[in-house]
């Protein structure tokens, strides 16, 4: 059984999303807590700007929960950078414990899954789950220096400049979105070698996790008001639906954070990617739509492509993983 | 409270350590499960050799527990490489779930801590916790190409070519080493900027975690037959004792995996480092000494330096983290 059940329904009591310039033009942006017009955000390097976004998301989620950083026991999180320096250096500013995670763009789900597990079992009281990505730090690490102006291919996505954080706490009488269960993903690799086609590389993992989640929880697809994948992008999301129909899925209430974040902007090709994409859309948008009563039961499946530039140069294909977290209100 | 208590005492039912050539010459080597005489181990890249070590440690730990890979629900682990490709690509070969971690050289303790938490709470049955490092993959990523033959400085350590894995299972009547509690570390940075002085960079985190662990568990230092840090090396371990004495600690039963692995080889300067160092010493040596009845209560504090080459180039100092796991037999 790859599904963890949270009988004590830990709650998301504060959440915040921080976005960059392109993210500030999203149809969802009016819900975001903070958007900046300069992706450097006054810092002297892209990496420092990303770290500031990570830390700002944590502080803002805390303040949205009327808490300060001294009220949390633990930060669970990571990012895309080598040795997850955004998360690690952000953690240096906090007095709580830190468990670093790497699940590529699945990190928001991985951190929520572990936060839910630790809080549900009573190990810790209040925990922050957070992640970030930045177009400029990711692009120069994973692909080409920005200065080269390398053209993109049609299946390419753009790494979101964004961060998101959610504060998980034991269940109390307040009506807040609660974590009810989560399904851990396994690593799946269908042999895709094109690092500009992340949607195709990650789709099999997302679908396998969704199918496993529905089987193990005995929930029909229609149980959820919304099933949202992390950053398959428009191409990956269409593959997901095509392939998923063979498993009897209908995708009536399905979308993808990567397809939604830059919706209406075909010049960004297949949409957004990066840890920050699904973190921003979940913590900055969907959870707020839940609080507004528009979504009651949400299944969040963040997807991660686990390659590195070294593995790509050495001719490896792209393994992927996807973790699913069920978030429900009124339970 | 940063300590998690495992009342159900999950057990370590199988464990294995795999080492390279230098590790095979260790005074502890006769306990190691596998040592290879060629650090390439028949592979065509150092990265593939490290992945093979990681996976071999998992398989060997499983076979030492009379289990096959289908018997585990989850692999928890990571490594030092960018995007933890040793762990991720190893996980691709397994049918279980995968939660990727990054805690630098603290990863063996981080994975055991989370494995203990998940098994203790009954979320999962049998879990593998594993990590690896390889001198040649780490050196060319973190420092200089091997071909340069760059001389080392006196406080330098050598990244161990090694992997370790432990299988954690719910408590049964068998007499096995059990996880009784664990203390999560916080990120601490005393401003060390010399990437060849990891011992000094990591010592404050190790000491803070040790002091916090003893306080929160109300255990005296003498409770443990052995307190072993991960890879402070000989210089870091001596700093640990010097500084710790100011906190009233005696260090009567203290050593460091990095100091022990290459003991008697002053040409390796301050000893071993890397995720694989403490993983090999714990899973390939100390747990076997526990089974032999020589150690009853062990506190394992793996230490991680959380910098990246990018953070170092950008002038950052080195933040560190250390997690402590208490392992006891006959409980």
């Amino acid at each position: 059984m790859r599904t963890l059940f949270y009988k004590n329904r830990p709650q998301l009591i504060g959440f915040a999303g921080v976005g960059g310039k392109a993210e500030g033009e999203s149809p969802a942006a009016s819900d975001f807590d903070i958007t900046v017009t300069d992706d450097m955000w006054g810092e002297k390097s892209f990496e420092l700007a990303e770290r500031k976004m990570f830390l700002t998301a944590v502080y803002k989620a805390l303040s949205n929960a009327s808490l300060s950083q001294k009220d949390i026991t633990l930060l669970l999180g990571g990012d895309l950078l080598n040795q997850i320096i955004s998360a690690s250096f952000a953690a240096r500013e906090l007095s709580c414990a830190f468990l670093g995670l790497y699940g590529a763009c699945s990190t928001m789900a991985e951190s929520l899954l572990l936060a839910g597990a630790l809080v549900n079992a009573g190990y810790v009281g209040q925990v922050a789950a957070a992640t970030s990505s930045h177009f400029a730090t990711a692009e120069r690490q994973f692909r080409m220096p920005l200065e080269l102006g390398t053209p993109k291919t049609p299946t390419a996505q753009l790494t979101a400049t964004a961060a998101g954080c959610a504060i998980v706490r034991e269940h109390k009488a307040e009506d807040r979105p609660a974590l009810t269960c989560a399904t851990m993903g396994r690593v799946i690799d269908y042999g895709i070698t094109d690092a500009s086609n992340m949607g195709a590389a990650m789709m099999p993992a997302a679908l396998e996790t969704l199918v496993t989640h529905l089987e193990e929880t005995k929930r029909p697809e229609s149980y959820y008001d919304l099933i949202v994948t992390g950053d398959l992008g428009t191409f990956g999301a269409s593959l997901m639906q095509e392939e998923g129909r063979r498993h009897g899925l209908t995708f009536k209430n399905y979308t993808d954070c990567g397809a939604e974040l830059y919706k209406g902007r075909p010049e960004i090709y297949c949409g957004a990617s990066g840890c920050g994409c699904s973190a921003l859309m979940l913590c900055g948008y969907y959870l707020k739509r839940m609080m507004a009563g528009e979504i009651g039961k949400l299944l969040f499946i963040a997807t991660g492509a686990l390659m590195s530039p070294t593995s790509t140069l050495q001719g490896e294909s792209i393994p992927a993983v996807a973790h699913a977290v069920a978030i429900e209100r009124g339970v």
Side-chain angles (χ1 to χ4, degrees), chain A:
Chain A
M1 181 77 98
R2 278 165 33 206
T3 301
L4 317 182
F5 292 91
Y6 306 136
K7 288 182 185 162
N8 300 324
R9 295 158 294 142
Q11 291 178 318
L12 304 176
I13 50 158
F15 27 86
V18 178
K21 187 169 184 293
E23 294 69 28
E25 294 159 10
S26 167
S30 60
D31 270 345
F32 299 163
D33 295 80
I34 297 166
T35 54
V36 299
T37 50
D38 166 17
D39 286 356
M40 289 290 279
W41 210 2
E43 297 293 322
K44 64 181 180 178
S45 74
F46 299 130
E47 286 74 16
L48 287 172
E50 180 176 344
R51 185 193 309 176
K52 185 174 176 178
M53 286 194 160
F54 188 111
L55 204 50
T56 303
V58 174
Y59 287 141
K60 186 67 184 164
L62 283 167
S63 82
N64 287 347
S66 304
L67 297 174
S68 84
Q69 64 124 325
K70 287 179 184 165
D71 299 317
I72 49 170
T73 313
L74 170 67
L75 169 66
L76 280 158
D79 57 276
L80 289 177
L81 296 189
N82 299 341
Q83 291 73 54
I84 59 165
I85 50 171
S86 304
S88 300
F89 281 78
R92 187 175 66 175
E93 308 303 316
L94 304 172
S95 54
C96 64
F98 173 61
L99 294 175
L101 309 178
Y102 187 80
C105 306
S106 72
T107 302
M108 192 67 222
E110 184 181 357
S111 58
L112 275 178
L113 180 152
L114 284 169
L118 295 176
V119 172
N120 179 65
Y123 292 116
V124 285
Q126 294 176 149
V127 174
T131 183
S132 67
S133 59
H134 192 297
F135 170 70
T137 64
E139 204 66 13
R140 66 180 176 182
Q141 177 182 281
F142 285 104
R143 295 180 191 88
M144 303 287 176
L146 292 180
E147 294 79 358
L148 271 181
T150 318
K152 285 177 173 287
T153 58
T155 54
Q157 295 166 246
L158 189 134
T159 306
T161 300
C165 176
I167 310 295
V168 182
R169 185 204 62 191
E170 60 179 324
H171 194 94
K172 292 192 181 172
E174 278 178 87
D175 180 17
R176 295 282 183 169
L179 301 172
T180 55
C181 57
T183 302
M184 305 179 289
R186 52 178 283 241
V187 178
I188 293 179
D189 187 336
Y190 272 28
I192 302 288
T193 53
D194 179 1
S196 291
N197 194 354
M198 291 299 179
M202 299 191 294
M203 181 280 286
L207 183 58
E208 198 271 349
T209 295
L210 172 58
V211 169
T212 302
H213 176 81
L214 297 177
E215 276 176 11
E216 293 190 345
T217 59
K218 298 191 174 64
R219 291 175 175 179
E221 183 190 1
S222 59
Y223 180 86
Y224 291 102
D225 299 319
L226 183 66
I227 295 172
V228 58
T229 44
D231 58 345
L232 297 182
T234 53
F235 180 66
S238 68
L239 284 180
M240 175 89 172
Q241 293 173 73
E242 191 181 320
E243 189 62 23
R245 287 196 182 96
R246 298 188 197 177
H247 289 78
L249 299 170
T250 64
F251 294 97
K252 276 185 187 149
N253 300 311
Y254 167 72
T255 192
D256 177 78
C257 297
E260 294 290 338
L261 182 56
Y262 301 141
K263 199 168 194 167
R265 297 190 62 184
E267 75 279 16
I268 308 187
Y269 297 96
C270 286
S273 64
C275 300
C277 165
S278 62
L280 173 60
M281 287 301 288
L282 179 71
C283 303
Y285 180 70
Y286 290 118
L287 289 174
K288 293 175 181 180
R289 295 299 96 208
M290 290 187 85
M291 288 308 291
E294 292 169 23
I295 305 166
K297 297 178 196 310
L298 174 74
L299 185 66
F300 174 68
I301 310 175
T303 46
L306 301 173
M307 84 296 176
S308 81
T310 301
S311 69
T312 302
L313 284 171
Q314 293 183 348
E316 291 282 357
S317 54
I318 303 171
V321 72
H323 307 291
V325 180
I327 308 173
E328 305 180 52
R329 210 177 144 203
V331 290

